Amino acid sequence: MDMTLRIVGRVRSPLTDPKTAPRFETENAPQAQILLDPAYRAAAKSLEAGQEILLFTWFHLADRDCQEVHPRRDMSRPLTGVFSTRSPDRPNPIGLHQVRLTAIDGDVLTVGALEAIDGTPVIDIKPLADRAGKG
């Protein structure tokens, strides 16, 4: 059984420190770019600017041994299991981000507010399904 994980792109962002990066896109996360691996150009050809997409990322700097965190890094809050948090620290650190695709320029996808740090691997991109069943 083949169990490989393919990286389809990388995040380019002004965020560089996981300790100070926002946990939500609504916490002043900056615009970012997804640099697609050219091998996946055909996979992105139906994406359109203005579309809502889901980005799946691999938090490569996460602590994979972590099972509990203080929510929002607030030490006054009790430890909580990571499956109930947005912490990147977890056994399998997969990030899920709903973003708006604002521009496409060749292999560069520009997206609205994204809390992932620079260099984060992108493992999949999915259009957000609409009520008409498209996507």
Side-chain angles (χ1 to χ4, degrees):
M1 182 184 326
D2 184 15
M3 299 289 273
T4 60
L5 181 72
R6 295 192 177 143
I7 304 304
V8 301
R10 296 231 178 234
V11 172
R12 283 293 165 249
S13 169
L15 299 174
T16 58
D17 182 0
K19 290 184 179 17
T20 59
R23 288 291 190 253
F24 291 96
E25 66 280 355
T26 56
E27 293 178 338
N28 297 317
Q31 176 176 289
Q33 295 180 321
I34 307 305
L35 306 181
L36 284 179
D37 180 322
Y40 296 101
R41 185 175 293 137
K45 74 179 187 179
S46 299
L47 295 176
E48 299 175 2
Q51 186 175 25
E52 290 282 324
I53 59 174
L54 296 173
L55 291 177
F56 295 84
T57 58
W58 182 260
F59 290 137
H60 62 302
L61 300 177
D63 176 355
R64 295 190 68 185
D65 295 323
C66 184
Q67 293 191 35
E68 294 180 301
V69 294
H70 294 281
R72 310 192 68 70
R73 294 186 222 109
D74 181 349
M75 300 304 261
S76 69
R77 297 176 75 178
L79 282 171
T80 301
V82 295
F83 295 153
S84 298
T85 74
R86 294 278 304 221
S87 174
D89 298 324
R90 53 201 328 108
N92 287 302
I94 296 173
L96 174 61
H97 318 270
Q98 183 175 335
V99 295
R100 181 168 302 280
L101 183 57
T102 59
I104 303 171
D105 185 11
D107 297 331
V108 179
L109 308 177
T110 302
V111 298
L114 179 64
E115 68 275 21
I117 65 167
D118 189 60
T120 298
V122 176
I123 57 175
D124 207 351
I125 300 169
K126 298 216 182 273
L128 198 63
D130 65 20
R131 299 237 183 246
K134 299 180 204 169

